[in-house]
């Protein structure tokens, strides 16, 4: 019997490092050179096949710009099972920003959260400012996963999510939301379900 | 910050966040600011540290209450009516995806010195100690009359007219006892006082139908509650706003509402920057409420009355509620010789708002005397031993002008009702003042990715 597990994944990182581009590549295998700052779609889902028994469904939250003035709501981290913290390998300042997000996660998020530090834009190798060694060393010190990728070429993108999927605990308790869904039980109360009695005469 | 916005919203309470979300979806360019470093304003939910900082600044939360992060204590006790207006907005805007809801386990009413469950099924009604045998029969006829009522079918009217007859005459027609009227008017129609009895029966009819249809939706009680506390609601609408381009700035001091020579709104000054916008919406605290002395800015709100709220931390479920993990208890005013009802709203770790084996009950009422804590005593006495108690007295403010002249649109304070229906009324009212047309919840295209 195959099982589907659901996990909440949040993205963090400085503006323009390519958070939304990585998601777009992962979910739709697309890339857009002139992507605007995220507006409109900040909630996507995608599944990965772990083995023939198991699929992992990621519920992906993008920041929607609320982080810009340090105004991300606690709701964003709440119940997040994993986080991808992105920096741009051509901007050393973006790694600094990534470090501060990681500190924030360690403080605010569930202690069992899996954090992946991801250097994006490897297609711009010539303009590299952040060395692999530096980022990798930091990730090791903090016990984070680390990878590099290019949303533009697609290189390394699937690997990030696959590596996270492999690390997620399928037996240990997931977030409430994930657990209820994985167990196949209804989660909470579904507000959008229409009661039988209301189905006809409803003019809403 | 030399950008110009369509609307600046001040304060991230639920009313402001719903407005901000709806305006952004409508295509307005919104800047949303809050002086606090957290979301929710008066309708926030606090962790223990924040709670103690607010009520007992010189005391640290006791370790025996458990982990700080497990707590989300509401400042304003309210529940969501399952078939009510807030539910409609939550569903239409799709913010339900950010939230998870659980039912409130039971709704209780106080009568003759004890509490009983408001019946949620016919079976419960038959067994309920709320009414004697004959009264049950009369009440049954009354409810059947309401359920069968069809505006265009005079045969269902039994000679009554809901639009011209006061509610008291409908009660009289069915010969319902005063105690039954208390339970119907206060625990089902959710009136805070008895003024409704002299008003046309139509509104009471609508409220009872809302209650019974909400009850029928998921059983147990007509109320829902978001996991992690009510403070999740403003956050969810803030996210909606942000997704549609809204800009968020917390922890931002608001120093001045800047006006032009005609007294019309120009912008908001914070420190030495001024952000311009066509309109401003904000909660009363940004327009003089609670401020005193020079430099407090112009007073644009008036106090209507005051509400006393006691947040009580218990280590047991409320006695007489069948060990419910959550409950509403209504003490109708007549039952304790008051003009306004006393409410108790209780939630617990089932709703992820506190540690295991802790129960958080909020007792509240509209203040009638100069000894507010004595006024809520009948409520406190129902709780059993109270482990910790945090009492606050909040004035309720309402704006003095519509905003038509100056483009300043002010929301109302959160009132003493036990639900969010009046919050949505305020949203609709402000929307109409800001936009010049009624708020219509259009079926909109769901974000392309879902
Ligand atoms: N060359 C190159 N450009 C990229 C890559 N990924 C993203 N970009 C570009 O970088 C810019 C920013 O990308 P976004 O995905 O919008 O960045 P973001 O982190 O979501 O930004 P915010 O939504 O503002 O927080 C866009 O112009 C992208 O086209 C990449 O791998 N290589
Ligand atoms: Mg983005």
């Amino acid at each position: 019997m195959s099982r589907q597990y659901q996990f909440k994944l949040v993205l963090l990182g400085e503006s323009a490092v390519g958070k939304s581009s990585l998601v777009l590549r992962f979910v739709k295998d697309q890339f857009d050179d002139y992507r605007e700052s995220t507006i409109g779609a900040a909630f996507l889902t995608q599944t990965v096949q772990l083995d023939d028994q198991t699929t992992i469904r990621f519920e992906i939250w993008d920041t929607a710009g609320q982080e810009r003035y340090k105004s991300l709501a606690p709701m964003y981290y709440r119940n997040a099972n994993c986080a991808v913290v992105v920096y741009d390998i051509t901007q050393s300042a973006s790694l600094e920003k990534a470090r501060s997000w990681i500190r924030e996660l360690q403080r605010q998020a569930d202690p069992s959260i899996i954090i992946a530090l991801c250097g994006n834009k490897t297609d711009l190798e010539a303009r590299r400012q952040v060395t692999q060694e530096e980022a990798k060393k930091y990730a090791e010190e903090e016990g984070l996963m680390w990878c590099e990728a290019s949303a533009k070429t697609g290189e390394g993108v699937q690997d990030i999510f696959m590596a996270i999927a492999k690390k997620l605990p399928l037996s240990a308790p997931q977030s409430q939301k994930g657990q209820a869904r994985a167990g196949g039980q209804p989660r909470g109360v579904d507000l959008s379900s229409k009661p039988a009695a209301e189905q006809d005469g409803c003019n809403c | 910050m030399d950008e110009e916005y369509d609307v600046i919203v001040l304060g991230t309470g639920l009313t402001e966040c719903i407005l901000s979300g709806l305006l952004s979806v409508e295509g307005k360019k919104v800047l949303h600011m809050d002086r606090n470093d957290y979301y929710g304003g008066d309708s926030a939910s606090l962790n223990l540290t924040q709670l103690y900082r607010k009520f007992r600044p010189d005391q640290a939360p006791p370790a025996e209450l458990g982990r700080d992060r497990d707590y989300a204590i509401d400042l304003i006790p309210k529940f969501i009516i399952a078939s009510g207006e807030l539910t409609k907005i939550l569903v239409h805007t799709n913010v339900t995806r950010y939230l998870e809801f659980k039912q409130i386990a039971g709704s209780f009413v106080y009568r003759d010195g004890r509490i009983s469950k408001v019946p949620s099924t016919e079976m419960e009604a038959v067994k309920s100690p709320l009414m004697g045998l004959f009264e049950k029969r009369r009440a049954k006829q009354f409810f059947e009359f309401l359920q069968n009522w069809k505006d265009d079918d005079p045969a269902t009217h039994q000679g009554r007219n809901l639009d011209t007859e006061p509610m008291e005459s409908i009660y009289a027609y069915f010969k319902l006892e005063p105690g039954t009227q208390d339970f119907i008017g206060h625990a089902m129609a959710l009136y805070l006082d008895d003024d409704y009895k002299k008003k046309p029966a139509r509104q009471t009819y609508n409220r009872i139908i809302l209650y019974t249809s909400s009850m029928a939706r998921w059983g147990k009680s007509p109320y829902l509650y978001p996991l992690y506390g009510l403070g999740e609601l403003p956050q969810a609408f803030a996210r909606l706003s942000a997704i549609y381009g809204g800009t968020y700035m917390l922890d931002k001091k608001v120093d001045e509402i800047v006006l032009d020579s005609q007294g019309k709104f120009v912008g908001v000054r914070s420190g030495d920057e001024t952000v311009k916008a066509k309109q401003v919406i904000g909660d009363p605290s940004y327009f003089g409420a609670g401020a005193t002395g020079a430099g407090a800015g112009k007073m644009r709100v008036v106090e209507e009355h005051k509400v006393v709220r006691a947040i009580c931390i218990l280590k047991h479920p409320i006695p007489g509620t069948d060990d419910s993990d959550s409950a509403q208890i209504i003490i109708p005013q007549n039952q304790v010789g008051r003009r306004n009802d006393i409410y108790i709203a209780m939630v617990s770790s089932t709703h992820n708002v506190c540690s295991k084996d802790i129960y958080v009950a909020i007792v509240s009422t509209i203040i009638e005397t100069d000894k507010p804590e004595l006024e809520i005593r009948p409520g406190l006495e129902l709780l059993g031993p109270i482990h910790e108690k945090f009492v606050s007295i909040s004035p309720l403010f309402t704006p003095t002008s519509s905003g038509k002249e100056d483009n300043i649109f002010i929301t109302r304070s959160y009132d003493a009702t036990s639900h969010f229906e009046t919050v949505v009324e305020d949203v609709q009212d402000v929307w109409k003042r800001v936009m010049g047309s009624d708020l219509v919840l259009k079926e909109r295209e769901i974000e392309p990715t879902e």
Side-chain angles (χ1 to χ4, degrees):
Chain A
M1 203 196 85
S2 76
R3 297 197 62 170
Q4 192 181 74
Y5 296 85
Q6 171 140 334
F7 293 95
K8 173 174 169 182
L9 181 150
V10 297
L11 285 149
L12 287 165
E14 198 174 10
S15 186
V17 293
K19 298 180 293 295
S20 305
S21 299
L22 285 169
V23 176
L24 189 66
R25 174 62 78 191
F26 172 53
V27 174
K28 295 199 186 144
D29 201 16
Q30 291 169 1
F31 180 77
D32 180 355
D33 261 312
Y34 303 99
R35 234 193 121 65
E36 298 209 359
S37 243
T38 301
I39 294 183
F43 186 93
L44 298 98
T45 58
Q46 174 70 313
T47 52
V48 299
Q49 189 81 29
L50 207 53
D51 53 51
D52 40 330
Q53 304 293 310
T54 325
T55 49
I56 302 283
R57 183 168 188 264
F58 286 111
E59 181 181 281
I60 304 168
W61 292 44
D62 197 347
T63 55
Q66 272 174 303
E67 81 289 10
R68 225 157 286 152
Y69 301 99
K70 294 207 182 68
S71 302
L72 206 54
M75 159 181 274
Y76 189 74
Y77 312 100
R78 179 130 38 235
N79 284 337
N81 305 99
C82 37
V84 178
V85 182
V86 185
Y87 64 95
D88 175 344
I89 64 153
T90 72
Q91 304 287 337
S92 24
S94 71
L95 181 64
E96 275 320 301
K97 191 75 214 213
R99 285 176 196 257
S100 82
W101 280 120
I102 286 160
R103 277 193 297 274
E104 180 84 358
L105 282 169
Q106 288 166 339
R107 213 163 50 84
Q108 300 257 15
D110 191 279
S112 67
I113 190 168
I114 292 171
I115 304 175
L117 176 67
C118 178
N120 185 36
K121 309 199 184 178
T122 52
D123 56 292
L124 302 176
E125 186 58 45
R127 287 162 45 191
R128 181 188 280 276
Q129 287 186 356
V130 181
T131 65
Q132 295 200 336
E133 292 66 39
E134 182 192 355
K136 206 164 153 182
K137 181 160 163 285
Y138 166 67
E140 268 163 22
E141 284 164 11
E142 296 291 331
L144 318 170
M145 299 171 69
W146 173 79
C147 58
E148 285 192 345
S150 165
K152 184 163 184 168
T153 65
E155 185 193 6
V157 177
Q158 293 294 325
D159 306 337
I160 308 169
F161 295 92
M162 198 54 165
I164 293 172
K166 283 186 181 143
K167 270 207 127 179
L168 286 164
L170 298 188
S171 47
Q174 307 171 36
S175 76
Q176 195 130 7
K177 211 163 173 170
Q179 195 169 32
R181 284 187 193 165
Q185 295 134 12
R187 60 161 187 134
V189 167
D190 180 8
L191 289 197
S192 36
S193 71
K194 288 223 168 103
E198 222 179 69
Q199 231 138 33
D200 35 331
C202 178
N203 54 359
C204 48
Chain B
M1 295 221 308
D2 3 290
E3 272 175 277
E4 194 170 331
Y5 293 84
D6 291 322
V7 186
I8 295 176
V9 183
L10 302 176
T12 53
L14 179 58
T15 313
E16 294 75 37
C17 285
I18 297 177
L19 281 162
S20 176
L22 294 173
L23 287 166
S24 295
V25 170
E26 192 75 14
K28 295 278 180 195
K29 191 170 168 192
V30 176
L31 172 64
H32 203 153
M33 298 157 81
D34 195 309
R35 65 167 80 83
N36 298 317
D37 63 358
Y38 55 85
Y39 280 88
D42 283 345
S43 55
S45 303
L46 305 184
N47 62 27
L48 281 181
T49 308
Q50 292 168 322
L51 185 74
Y52 274 75
R53 198 189 297 148
K54 187 174 172 73
F55 289 97
R56 306 212 187 132
D58 32 45
Q59 196 186 327
E64 44 110 18
L65 285 179
R67 291 194 308 178
D68 193 35
R69 54 188 299 154
D70 291 339
Y71 281 79
I73 309 255
D74 302 326
L75 293 176
I76 310 272
K78 282 183 184 290
F79 292 149
I80 301 171
I81 297 188
S83 301
E85 292 296 319
L86 183 59
T87 305
K88 283 185 196 149
I89 294 187
L90 286 162
V91 170
H92 276 264
T93 53
N94 225 340
V95 303
T96 44
R97 63 169 60 161
Y98 309 133
L99 299 162
E100 206 168 338
F101 298 91
K102 279 223 173 117
Q103 274 190 278
I104 293 298
S107 165
F108 297 82
V109 60
Y110 178 94
R111 181 166 178 188
D112 303 332
R114 52 176 304 205
I115 58 173
S116 311
K117 193 160 190 288
V118 179
S120 60
T121 62
E122 200 121 331
M123 270 306 283
E124 277 186 8
V126 173
K127 284 198 251 154
S128 172
L130 279 169
M131 293 171 278
L133 191 61
F134 292 107
E135 185 66 357
K136 269 181 192 142
R137 210 169 285 166
R138 291 187 288 267
K140 187 162 182 274
Q141 284 166 353
F142 169 76
F143 286 116
E144 278 169 359
F145 163 73
L146 296 186
Q147 293 295 343
N148 294 335
W149 178 277
K150 286 197 185 66
D151 279 339
D152 49 9
D153 181 2
T156 65
H157 297 182
Q158 304 189 26
R160 307 287 100 204
N161 185 328
L162 295 182
D163 296 303
T164 57
E165 263 181 76
M167 191 59 207
E168 61 189 2
S169 108
I170 307 284
Y171 282 147
Y173 176 77
F174 287 96
K175 300 192 177 62
L176 293 177
E177 293 168 359
T180 308
Q181 297 180 20
D182 276 354
F183 133 63
I184 292 170
H186 294 260
M188 297 181 81
L190 302 172
Y191 285 109
L192 291 159
D193 56 39
D194 264 355
D195 294 352
Y196 76 97
K197 287 190 182 175
K198 302 238 177 282
K199 294 185 183 155
R202 173 70 69 176
Q203 199 193 10
T204 306
Y205 163 80
N206 287 339
R207 284 173 170 233
I208 295 172
I209 296 295
L210 173 63
Y211 189 93
T212 50
S213 73
S214 297
M215 194 71 130
R217 235 178 137 175
W218 287 289
K220 291 215 284 196
S221 89
Y223 300 114
L224 300 173
Y225 187 86
L227 290 189
Y228 303 101
L230 298 178
E232 297 291 287
L233 296 170
Q235 291 181 48
F237 284 101
R239 181 164 165 81
L240 173 73
S241 173
I243 285 174
Y244 280 84
T247 301
Y248 274 79
M249 288 185 189
L250 297 187
D251 204 7
K252 193 84 184 162
K253 238 173 103 216
V254 173
D255 292 310
E256 190 189 347
I257 306 295
V258 183
L259 308 176
D260 68 11
S261 55
Q262 275 106 56
K264 272 193 196 312
F265 174 75
V266 172
V268 170
R269 182 173 66 80
S270 173
D272 40 20
E273 340 168 69
T274 297
V275 196
K276 291 188 174 168
K278 299 186 186 80
Q279 297 171 303
V280 66
I281 298 173
D283 77 46
S285 72
Y286 291 88
F287 300 96
T292 46
K298 189 173 170 228
M299 186 75 178
R300 293 187 166 89
V301 290
V302 284
E303 186 181 313
E304 279 191 309
H305 42 239
K306 288 190 170 70
V307 175
V308 54
R309 300 182 174 110
I311 298 171
C312 302
I313 296 183
L314 315 178
K315 295 201 161 178
H316 54 262
I318 297 179
T321 60
D322 269 336
D323 290 350
S324 292
D325 59 33
S326 50
Q328 176 180 75
I329 304 172
I330 293 176
I331 307 178
Q333 23 94 286
N334 283 332
Q335 296 287 324
V336 285
R338 294 176 50 76
R339 272 178 287 119
N340 295 280
D341 291 359
I342 301 172
Y343 284 134
I344 301 172
M346 189 272 277
V347 283
S348 65
S349 57
T350 312
H351 305 87
N352 300 5
V353 296
C354 56
S355 295
K356 202 164 167 290
D357 301 325
I358 299 278
Y359 299 79
V360 182
I362 307 185
V363 183
S364 61
T365 192
I366 294 175
I367 294 178
E368 297 170 9
T369 70
D370 54 3
K371 301 212 170 44
E373 258 194 88
L374 276 183
E375 296 187 44
I376 50 173
R377 206 143 98 189
L380 297 174
E381 278 168 358
L382 294 177
L383 302 182
I386 296 169
H387 190 70
E388 289 286 354
K389 186 172 75 188
F390 306 88
V391 181
S392 64
I393 288 166
S394 320
L396 302 190
F397 292 99
T398 185
T400 48
S401 71
S402 70
K404 197 164 174 245
E405 269 77 48
D406 52 11
N407 287 324
I408 296 174
F409 304 90
I410 305 171
T411 59
R412 303 165 63 96
S413 308
Y414 299 98
D415 64 18
T417 61
S418 62
H419 49 73
F420 288 103
E421 299 303 288
T422 49
V423 170
V424 177
E425 278 170 25
D426 195 27
V427 166
Q428 289 163 338
D429 177 53
V430 175
W431 177 275
K432 189 161 185 181
R433 289 191 270 138
V434 168
M435 302 291 285
S437 58
D438 285 329
L439 172 63
V440 183
L441 294 175
K442 285 174 252 176
E443 278 293 353
R444 65 180 179 79
E445 221 180 291
I446 295 180
E447 284 167 33
T449 48
E450 268 265 297

